[in-house]
Amino acid sequence: MEGVTQDILDRLIDELKKLPGIGRKTAQRLAFFLLKMSVEEARGLAQAIIDVKERLRFCRWCNNVSEEEVCRFCADPRRDRTRILVVEEPITLFAVERTGEYKGLYHVLLGALSPLDGRGPSDIKAQSLLERLKQGETKEVIIATNPTIEGEATAIYLTRLIKPTGVKVTRIAYGIPVGVDLEYADEVTLIKSLEGRRELT
Amino acid sequence: MSLFETEAIVLKTIRLGEADKLVTILTAKKGKVKAVAKGARRPRSRFGAALEPFTHCNVILFDKKPTVLMRMNQADILHPFIRIREDLERIGAAARMVQLASAILPEGEANPKIFSLLQAGLGKVERNDHLEWLVRVFEIRCLKHAGYQARLDHCLICHNELDAKPVYFSPKNGGTLCGSCARTISDPLEFVSSGTISLLRLAARMNWAGLFRLKATPKMLQEVKNVMDAHLTYVIGRPL
């Protein structure tokens, strides 16, 4: 009997260790915490994990994670259908959505071009963006990929792809984060923020 | 246990943990090293843009013990090569340079010549438009400084002077073979014209200004590329 309990607990610890940032000690602590949970709570957690894996899929239009075939942003008639904001990953979409300022549609690339890792155009969802533009509703594509070398390469590539369709392409601004001392900003960020300055009226 | 300061060029970064980066850098003092930059992915990180690939910076590293990854304490930009980022072809050329430097150098071994070569090479990528030729020259010199310079003066088997034609390049032997010796071995070979041989020789020693004045035909450039691809693949053990 002793052996059996040990095995079950060990299995839980091993599974928890697969999560990012969780080592053996943390996994043990979490496992013993779960042991003390009520059965309902534990079931709730387990069910939530299963639901995420079994019931979530990618939206057929924008590749955002969604329970339905079309995600809630694409399905919402109140959203501005003339704008598409392009992001690398769904998690960025949630960050933008938290601001509550953007009312248009999204497009998730599910990756970025990376010349250093050999990830090319076929590894991102760029063609489906082009297909969406052919519907003719879009007036502006806002590229919100990360300001990293991968994100920049992706932005340049998308611009080349979209320009011939005549749709306006914009890139989110580069610059100084709000609430910091300028003296600590690095040179590249400062140069970019100077290039992207705008007139005050 | 030591803290040290060195110039470095960022070769590659990968995401690590919640908001950290694992950065591979080519340092002037200790060659290629990997270091963890804590919190480098947060918007208000003190590293800012200093850890983007291709950046030439001054870093302070903390080397706890050989079995543990180094910690990066500080990084200040010396030259960001910012124009490379604005053009896909330039990004591609710069990426090939850092990939080659990274693949050919073992960790922890200083190589000042390759460090200066990479620094100069990235500077040229930023401003010069002959990107293909630039990358070839970089490859030829990088191999030379790493100790794999191709030998192009005579046939490596019979040691005779290379007569006019035909001449072959053998990646395995790391140099040229004459036509008759080439027939005796079964390893893959690249055909090279005499013009290409001179181009390869010049690329290893001429200064940059002279190199950009050379008029190489597209056919010669293609031959140089074939030779270098084969040689690099042999030296590194995989296609770059």
Side-chain angles (χ1 to χ4, degrees), chain B residues 113-126:
Chain B
K113 283 185 173 162
I114 292 187
F115 184 86
S116 335
L117 175 69
L118 185 58
Q119 191 189 341
L122 291 172
K124 302 284 174 202
V125 171
E126 194 176 29

Side-chain angles (χ1 to χ4, degrees), chain B residues 202-219:
Chain B
L202 285 174
R205 57 182 164 83
M206 207 177 195
N207 65 25
W208 290 99
L211 285 170
F212 289 122
R213 279 197 299 271
L214 290 178
K215 296 266 186 290
T217 62
K219 186 170 164 281

